[in-house]
């Protein structure tokens, strides 16, 4: 049964050059109508909420903070109306630093949000322009100060490396700022140039200069070393936190647990079915007007696929894949299913098997995708 809820807000005042999520430029969009459609979709999942307590809520995008105060207030009232919050331990909202006013933050806090996830990406002003970001470092500092005043228990910050023409010095500077600010949770991702993005179009024309693989690997290595020195625990390939500040919602994904996905283009995993919603706003809202779930694609996950997911999602975590849980879940020892793969990866020093868990080695974390391929048919 689902333990988490993801809510997608697909609107942005500025489309970033690297983003391939389902999103729309805010101007002239039916934002108020979309929020009401979200409410109808929440209502259609009422039985799911009753079956098992919801533990985490994550509002993502797009940009949730692109909504006005009145729109945010309406969104939160619908969440409170349809989703039982008594068992929710983590309620996260993504945010752009330049849109997160004190008033919006206060509203979020009083509505139950206890974790802010800020898309900062870099503290280098020139690189921010290259990415198409509209905030400044001053916006970030102001949000952190206001969050402390209001009393948010946790803040997460997204950073990116391997950016166009990014130097190691620029990367070191961004990390230095994060450490100075004592941000309790950091997600740090290498840039992946996705189709249908501005960066992809530039790359296809030979106009995007990216750091080479060696420099990108050096950036990741520096990240691992410095995070450890600063007292952060790496609990997933790209995620680091102080003790007790791990993302409970994202751990649902990596633990291969079920969650409800709400909104245009959202994905969910409920009752052994993975599904994706209609992405276009009109189709999404029209389906809900008929009082039907706006599901575009739905697929029952086979037992073999569940085992594959258990491996490639679980190995993302530093804790790794539990041999005991695997046997309970699938009725067979993990070694009976993937013995040959495990032997080869141990020999290559990409995984270790210790304390009843299969884990990536430090070397394995650098080539995680290569390791995951071993468990896919």
């Amino acid at each position: 049964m689902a333990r988490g809820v993801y809510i997608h807000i697909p609107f942005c005042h500025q489309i970033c050059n690297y983003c391939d999520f389902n999103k729309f430029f805010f101007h002239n969009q039916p934002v108020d109508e979309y929020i009401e459609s979200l409410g109808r979709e929440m209502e259609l999942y009422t039985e799911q909420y009753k079956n098992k307590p919801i533990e985490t809520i994550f509002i993502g995008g797009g940009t949730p903070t692109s909504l006005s105060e009145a729109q945010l207030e309406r969104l939160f009232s619908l969440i409170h109306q349809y989703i039982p919050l008594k068992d929710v331990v983590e309620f996260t909202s993504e945010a752009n630093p330049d849109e997160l006013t004190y008033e919006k933050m206060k509203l979020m806090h009083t509505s139950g949000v206890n974790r802010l996830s800020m898309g900062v990406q870099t503290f280098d002003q020139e690189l921010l322009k290259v990415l198409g970001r509209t905030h400044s470092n001053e916006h970030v500092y102001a949000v952190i100060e206001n969050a402390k005043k209001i009393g948010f228990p946790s803040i997460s910050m997204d950073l990116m490396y391997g950016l166009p023409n990014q130097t190691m010095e620029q990367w070191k500077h961004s990390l230095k700022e994060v450490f100075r600010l004592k941000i309790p949770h950091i997600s740090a991702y290498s840039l992946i140039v996705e189709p249908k993005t501005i960066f992809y179009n530039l790359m296809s024309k030979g106009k995007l200069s990216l750091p080479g693989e060696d420099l990108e690997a050096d950036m990741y290595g520096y990240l691992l070393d410095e995070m450890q020195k600063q007292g952060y625990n790496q609990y997933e390939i790209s995620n680091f936190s102080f003790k007790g500040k791990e993302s409970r919602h994202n751990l649902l994904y990596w633990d291969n647990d079920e969650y409800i996905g709400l909104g245009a283009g959202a994905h969910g995993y409920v009752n052994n079915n993975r599904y994706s919603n209609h992405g276009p706003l009109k189709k999404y809202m029209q389906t809900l007007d008929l009082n039907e779930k706006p599901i575009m694609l739905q697929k029952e996950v086979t037992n073999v696929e569940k085992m594959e997911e258990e491996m490639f999602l679980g190995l993302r975590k530093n804790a790794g894949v539990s041999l005991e849980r695997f046997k309970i879940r699938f009725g067979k020892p993990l070694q009976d299913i993937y013995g040959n793969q495990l032997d080869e990866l141990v020999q290559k020093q990409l995984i270790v098997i210790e304390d009843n868990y299969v884990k990536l080695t430090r070397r394995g974390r650098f080539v995680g995708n290569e390791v995951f391929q071993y468990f896919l048919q």
Side-chain angles (χ1 to χ4, degrees):
M1 292 298 174
R3 292 168 51 206
V5 176
Y6 172 80
I7 301 169
H8 191 68
I9 305 298
F11 306 110
C12 297
H13 288 295
Q14 169 74 18
I15 305 296
C16 297
N17 296 341
Y18 54 87
C19 180
D20 73 329
F21 294 129
N22 192 49
K23 77 280 182 189
F24 305 93
F25 187 59
F26 191 94
H27 191 58
N28 287 335
Q29 295 293 348
V31 181
D32 294 322
E33 295 88 339
Y34 176 80
I35 294 170
E36 298 307 316
S37 293
L38 266 176
R40 281 194 288 279
E41 190 181 9
M42 289 177 203
E43 187 178 10
L44 291 175
Y45 281 93
T46 302
E47 286 307 309
Q48 280 295 323
Y49 314 135
K50 285 178 183 172
N51 288 338
K52 188 163 185 178
I54 296 300
E55 298 170 22
T56 68
I57 298 174
F58 193 106
I59 306 176
T63 318
T65 47
S66 66
L67 302 182
S68 67
E69 279 178 64
Q71 289 163 341
L72 279 171
E73 192 167 8
R74 179 59 180 153
L75 174 64
F76 287 123
S77 74
L78 289 166
I79 291 170
H80 280 259
Q81 182 178 346
Y82 292 116
I83 303 175
L85 300 181
K86 63 182 175 63
D87 295 299
V88 171
V89 291
E90 181 185 276
F91 190 163
T92 303
S93 178
E94 288 184 342
N96 272 357
D98 54 329
E99 294 173 343
L100 198 51
T101 63
Y102 186 88
E103 290 73 25
K104 286 183 185 179
M105 290 173 73
K106 192 80 177 166
L107 172 62
M108 287 177 168
H109 187 256
T110 56
S111 300
V113 174
N114 57 16
R115 185 172 179 273
L116 295 174
S117 179
M118 273 201 296
V120 173
Q121 318 314 354
T122 177
F123 281 89
D124 185 280
Q125 295 297 143
E126 290 307 309
L127 280 175
L128 284 172
K129 289 176 189 171
V130 171
L131 293 173
R133 304 290 291 173
T134 54
H135 73 265
S136 67
N137 291 348
E138 285 65 35
H139 287 122
V140 177
Y141 305 144
V143 166
I144 292 166
E145 192 172 325
N146 286 335
K148 287 176 183 174
K149 280 182 193 172
I150 292 169
F152 277 95
S154 192
I155 298 177
S156 179
M157 191 177 280
D158 287 355
L159 294 178
M160 296 177 77
Y161 59 94
L163 301 175
N165 296 312
Q166 186 181 25
T167 65
M168 180 62 92
E169 286 310 307
Q170 287 171 316
W171 178 229
K172 287 181 178 180
H173 169 67
S174 286
L175 290 176
K176 189 176 177 183
E177 280 297 284
V178 165
F179 299 145
R180 183 180 70 79
L181 294 166
K182 292 186 167 52
I183 303 300
H185 185 281
I186 304 298
S187 299
Y189 304 103
S190 64
L191 173 68
I192 298 173
V193 180
E194 302 281 8
K196 299 180 183 176
T197 62
I198 293 170
F199 275 173
Y200 186 84
N201 293 336
L202 289 172
M203 188 172 72
S204 62
K205 295 173 185 173
K207 294 182 178 179
L208 192 70
S209 176
L210 298 172
E213 284 184 13
D214 289 345
L215 177 54
E216 192 174 304
D218 288 345
M219 288 176 171
Y220 185 60
Y222 183 80
L223 170 73
L224 298 187
D225 293 339
E226 291 303 305
M227 284 289 174
Q228 188 172 16
K229 284 181 194 173
Q230 297 291 332
Y232 287 84
N233 169 49
Q234 183 185 19
Y235 68 99
E236 191 267 349
I237 285 178
S238 302
N239 284 271
F240 308 79
S241 75
F242 293 146
K243 189 172 175 60
K245 297 296 184 180
E246 298 85 359
S247 170
R248 297 279 292 268
H249 185 82
N250 286 342
L251 279 166
L252 289 182
Y253 302 152
W254 302 318
D255 285 339
N256 202 16
D257 284 331
E258 295 194 348
Y259 62 95
I260 297 163
L262 304 171
H267 294 249
Y269 183 25
V270 174
N271 294 335
N272 292 323
N273 284 278
R274 290 200 180 272
Y275 68 87
S276 57
N277 280 348
H278 291 291
L281 294 180
K282 190 175 180 182
K283 182 67 176 173
Y284 169 79
M285 293 191 293
Q286 281 177 343
T287 309
L288 282 159
D289 286 341
L290 299 172
N291 215 34
E292 295 173 7
K293 290 178 181 175
I295 293 173
M296 178 181 67
L297 293 171
Q298 184 165 265
K299 183 185 183 303
E300 187 171 358
V301 183
T302 66
N303 213 43
V304 169
E305 289 167 334
K306 284 180 189 174
M307 288 190 282
E308 292 175 351
E309 290 173 351
E310 189 81 6
M311 296 307 296
F312 72 75
L313 291 170
L315 281 171
R316 292 193 64 89
K317 300 178 296 178
N318 278 34
V321 176
S322 164
L323 299 180
E324 184 182 352
R325 172 178 147 130
F326 189 96
K327 188 174 181 180
I328 291 169
R329 211 164 194 186
F330 302 109
K332 292 181 181 179
L334 195 155
Q335 290 93 331
D336 286 6
I337 309 296
Y338 295 117
N340 293 337
Q341 292 93 323
L342 296 177
D343 289 345
E344 188 173 341
L345 289 166
V346 167
Q347 194 175 344
K348 289 185 173 183
Q349 298 182 323
L350 297 177
I351 64 167
V352 291
I353 303 174
E354 60 183 20
D355 303 325
N356 226 20
Y357 278 82
V358 181
K359 310 174 185 180
L360 290 178
T361 60
R362 177 183 168 107
R363 182 177 170 187
R365 282 179 231 156
F366 281 78
V367 289
N369 288 336
E370 184 182 311
V371 175
F372 305 151
Q373 288 297 322
Y374 277 74
F375 302 100
L376 300 175
Q377 288 189 349

